[in-house]
Amino acid sequence: MSTTPDAIKIAFDAAVALLEAQADSQFIVVGYQRQKKAAEVDTDPALVQLFVKSWAIAKGSSSITGEKTYDVRIEVQFTIAQPGYLDVATIQDPNSTPTQRTTALLNMVEPAQAASGEMFKASKAVREIFDDARNLYLGLPDYSIYDKWYDNYEQDDLPPRGGLGILTGISFLEFSVKEEQLGDLVNYPTTVTNDIDLELGEEGKETDPTALQGVTETAP
Amino acid sequence: MHELSGSTVILTGPDGIPRTYDNCIFTSDRITESPDSGEEIVVVNPVASFPRSSLTVVPKNGEKWALEAPLEVGEPDELTMFQMDNSKSIEGGKSLDTIILKLTQSKQS
């Protein structure tokens, strides 16, 4: 891919599109930070938010104009909010026996347990997509990005209260891209053309004073 | 804070027998603090309080209970299912005569 002024955005959009295409109902993905690490309503399936967390240029490695190499860090944020699960129909059915209701209560699933299962499923799915060798360049032409790396994941603590089991986690997708640096310098140095033919005498002095007329200056 | 006083709720416990109570105070807190950032975050936190003496069977910590309560004022017959949060103690109220059930939302399994 030839370098463009939008290389970072192109690579980021490709990462989002890749997850969208291969989510397979295991999560939904948005290419921006839609909400903080919290949820008011249950998520089904998990919500995956991608956004450019940071980029950096190594000092001293880039020229003023031309191509620059950006080290990009994309945050991948997971949000799961799950209620508990219970055989509600049996509990509410006036014809249910006490034994049936007791069994339904014993089989209830806690919100934290439900959220934990969903988080494992979503984080594993994203990892498999980004680490797949076929996605080395995020679906872009070969060598569009460099040093793609997706190697970490961290889960946060549960909020202390709440009617839902809320779990959040983060991971980072890192890669480098070359981006064309726009802009033009205001002053260009004068180009000096030397076309001097000096004939030096025995004492090293020019013998023909008109020889310096060979020096010309070209305007920028 | 969202509160419905004197709500009629149906409580079902380990014996499998649903019991109706009309003196429940049902609240739904909406603000808590994120354990990671310390910021205020919005979380729905349903809680049902009962006078201990009014309960035929008193819930105990670790037991599995289901509660149906109306969420909307003026819609007493529209009951929503909740389940008791077993990670929270039922005690902790200002009065020993009050049982406090911390609840979580519940969906059909």
Side-chain angles (χ1 to χ4, degrees):
Chain A
M1 181 178 81
S2 58
T3 56
T4 75
D6 298 322
I8 293 177
K9 186 174 189 314
I10 290 172
F12 172 76
D13 288 345
V16 175
L18 191 64
L19 290 184
E20 282 176 340
Q22 301 184 23
D24 195 22
S25 303
Q26 296 175 98
F27 54 85
I28 56 173
V29 58
V30 295
Y32 56 94
Q33 189 175 21
R34 194 180 80 171
Q35 59 197 66
K36 287 184 178 180
K37 292 181 183 178
E40 291 184 48
V41 295
D42 56 325
T43 60
D44 187 19
L47 171 67
V48 176
Q49 302 174 82
L50 268 71
F51 53 94
V52 178
K53 181 72 172 179
S54 66
W55 55 258
I57 304 174
K59 288 183 181 177
S61 67
S62 299
S63 60
I64 298 174
T65 58
E67 209 172 75
K68 288 181 186 288
T69 299
Y70 289 82
D71 296 328
V72 182
R73 202 166 197 231
I74 292 178
E75 181 161 325
V76 183
Q77 208 170 84
F78 299 86
T79 302
I80 313 282
Q82 287 285 301
Y85 287 90
L86 177 66
D87 188 354
V88 176
T90 297
I91 300 288
Q92 290 181 329
D93 186 354
N95 297 319
S96 295
T97 65
T99 304
Q100 287 174 322
R101 293 197 189 95
T102 300
T103 301
L105 289 173
L106 287 174
N107 291 330
M108 75 165 58
V109 175
E110 293 181 345
Q113 181 183 359
S116 182
E118 286 297 307
M119 176 63 88
F120 189 84
K121 189 168 68 174
S123 61
K124 183 173 183 292
V126 170
R127 182 177 80 242
E128 286 180 345
I129 293 169
F130 279 145
D131 283 346
D132 192 319
R134 292 167 292 186
N135 299 328
L136 185 61
Y137 301 108
L138 299 177
L140 294 169
D142 288 356
Y143 308 110
S144 297
I145 63 172
Y146 305 83
D147 302 328
K148 182 172 75 69
W149 203 244
Y150 184 76
D151 70 336
N152 57 79
Y153 165 79
E154 192 168 314
Q155 186 167 299
D156 304 309
D157 282 336
L158 271 176
R161 305 191 290 170
L164 294 171
I166 301 174
L167 276 180
T168 54
I170 59 169
S171 59
F172 291 96
L173 172 66
E174 300 175 347
F175 54 82
S176 299
V177 289
K178 292 187 187 297
E179 193 164 282
E180 185 72 27
Q181 180 61 51
L182 299 178
D184 198 358
L185 293 178
V186 176
N187 297 311
Y188 286 99
T190 300
T191 303
V192 178
T193 304
N194 290 312
D195 187 13
I196 303 172
D197 183 15
L198 290 177
E199 191 174 311
L200 301 178
E202 290 182 356
E203 296 178 358
K205 295 180 182 178
E206 74 276 5
T207 58
D208 181 4
T210 64
L212 289 174
Q213 293 175 359
V215 177
T216 59
E217 291 185 354
T218 306
Chain B
M1 187 164 69
H2 167 78
E3 176 175 319
L4 289 175
S5 299
S7 303
T8 298
V9 302
I10 303 174
L11 199 55
T12 306
D15 61 4
I17 299 173
R19 295 179 176 86
T20 302
Y21 297 97
D22 59 6
N23 55 354
C24 169
I25 297 178
F26 183 81
T27 60
S28 188
D29 242 358
R30 292 188 182 274
I31 300 290
T32 188
E33 188 178 283
S34 166
D36 296 298
S37 63
E39 296 176 65
E40 278 191 348
I41 57 176
V42 178
V43 176
V44 176
N45 186 43
V47 174
S49 303
F50 300 87
R52 186 187 291 267
S53 57
S54 71
L55 294 172
T56 308
V57 180
V58 179
K60 294 184 177 54
N61 289 324
E63 291 181 336
K64 299 199 175 185
W65 287 76
L67 180 140
E68 294 172 76
L71 268 188
E72 301 293 332
V73 176
E75 298 285 347
D77 298 326
E78 294 283 333
L79 300 179
T80 301
M81 184 66 75
F82 298 89
Q83 55 197 66
M84 190 169 119
D85 186 349
N86 288 108
S87 68
K88 306 291 192 301
S89 171
I90 63 171
E91 309 297 342
K94 292 182 179 177
S95 166
L96 290 176
D97 294 331
T98 302
I99 291 288
I100 298 176
L101 299 183
K102 282 38 166 238
L103 305 167
T104 63
Q105 297 177 31
S106 208
K107 263 190 179 178
Q108 175 64 48
S109 57

